Amino acid sequence: MIVVAGSANTDLVAQVSHYPGAGETLIASDYAVYQGGKGANQAVAAARLGTPVRFIGAVGDDDFGDRILTGLVTEGVDVHAVRRCPGSSGLAMITVDQTGENRIVVVPGANGQLDGSGDLRPAMVGASALLVQLETSPGFVNAALAAGQAAGAEIILNAAPAASLAGFDTDAVDWLMVNAGEAAFLLGEAAGGTRSETADQARRLGAHYGFGVIVTLGADGALWVDRDGGDRHMPGRVCEVIDTTGAGDTFAGAFAAARIKGQSIADAIRWAGVAASLSVGQAGARTGMPDLASVRAALD
């Protein structure tokens, strides 16, 4: 069982020719509504790969909340640990340009009511892996980390959106998962200009905090540094890019799915990289997330 603790949103997506400057108004070429939120996305990514998944989060008592829950249940995700809060559900406003790159503004809504005040240990029963992100409050993240550690789960912290790790219980973390920009942010540095520079940043992060570090590199694949400081690189897979919105979440969910199936770190990162490469071929954070058969076919 994978437990994912995090945010659930509705994504409002506009297709634009370019990103507007200050005071500029753009006419979008298209608009769509998708289910999103980093936590919910990662739960769906893992569930589509045939893995039992339980989601811990919160939604509002609005129509968006109804749709979020229905969407998760349809994907086979256990939602018994999702709180229903008065008020609005979380929203993400996303613009995607002609190259497939995205910019996102998140309105927390009910996600902002996740403060860690409840006992999360019952939701961790049977957990082999825990996925947590930084789109919810530090109190909630720490409560999830503590409950996951008590359950003996392998804990993966996806430090996104980028934020300082001060105040988080990093001692509970087995693997930090970030992109190159997030890795640099955590060190207070500019992003590495080469893969070796990024590997050095990952190595220093791991040495400072005492966990393994996985850095996703987009088209260049991913690199990882074990707790002993050794680093390795997994090349990327050539693919058509339509929308990168859900690629990182797909990678995280697929990595966790591979780990609870007993795959090594190298094999799990290869598996996750293939899943992420398949996800960018369609618009929307979840639309392109592959199923088990698709990933297996791409690996052959």
Side-chain angles (χ1 to χ4, degrees):
M1 166 78 71
I2 297 172
V3 174
V4 182
S7 60
N9 295 327
T10 298
D11 294 344
L12 311 177
V13 183
Q15 300 285 337
V16 297
S17 59
H18 63 278
Y19 292 114
E24 180 183 3
T25 298
L26 280 182
I27 303 299
S29 61
D30 200 4
Y31 168 78
V33 179
Y34 302 102
Q35 297 303 310
K38 296 193 70 62
N41 285 344
Q42 291 177 13
V44 169
R48 287 194 183 174
L49 297 174
T51 308
V53 179
R54 180 179 298 128
F55 179 63
I56 307 174
V59 298
D61 58 3
D62 54 1
D63 181 60
F64 285 131
D66 293 337
R67 296 184 183 189
I68 289 169
L69 290 175
T70 298
L72 289 171
V73 170
T74 300
E75 295 285 355
V77 176
D78 180 345
V79 297
H80 288 94
V82 178
R83 288 173 50 191
R84 200 75 193 255
C85 302
S88 66
S89 298
L91 293 174
M93 293 170 283
I94 303 171
T95 53
V96 181
D97 72 8
Q98 291 178 330
T99 69
E101 291 299 320
N102 64 79
R103 294 185 181 181
I104 305 173
V105 176
V106 175
V107 181
N111 298 306
Q113 298 189 48
L114 292 168
D115 57 7
S117 59
D119 185 1
L120 302 185
R121 287 175 297 178
M124 295 292 173
V125 173
S128 297
L130 168 67
L131 268 176
V132 188
Q133 318 77 36
L134 300 184
E135 213 166 43
T136 51
S137 74
F140 176 71
V141 171
N142 283 335
L145 293 175
Q149 186 177 42
E154 181 174 44
I155 299 177
I156 305 150
L157 174 62
N158 178 209
S164 170
L165 295 183
F168 291 100
D169 182 15
T170 54
D171 289 342
V173 176
D174 295 299
W175 289 98
L176 177 76
M177 184 178 291
V178 289
N179 61 32
E182 291 156 354
F185 176 88
L186 293 175
L187 290 168
E189 301 175 1
T194 65
R195 188 194 307 152
S196 62
E197 291 174 352
T198 300
D200 176 68
Q201 291 178 325
R203 194 177 302 110
R204 285 186 282 127
L205 275 174
H208 179 76
Y209 289 103
F211 44 44
V213 179
I214 300 167
V215 184
T216 56
L217 303 171
D220 195 30
L223 63 85
W224 68 102
V225 177
D226 296 324
R227 285 178 169 173
D228 62 5
D231 65 89
R232 294 181 61 186
H233 172 250
M234 184 68 66
R237 175 177 175 271
V238 177
C239 59
E240 180 184 12
V241 177
I242 302 298
D243 183 1
T244 62
T245 304
D249 294 334
T250 303
F251 187 99
F255 176 81
R259 289 294 289 162
I260 72 164
K261 293 176 181 177
Q263 292 192 25
S264 67
I265 296 298
D267 287 343
I269 287 177
R270 179 170 178 249
W271 179 275
V274 169
S277 74
L278 293 171
S279 76
V280 301
Q282 297 185 55
R286 297 184 194 171
T287 310
M289 286 181 175
D291 60 14
L292 185 60
S294 298
V295 174
R296 284 176 171 168
L299 283 166
D300 290 341

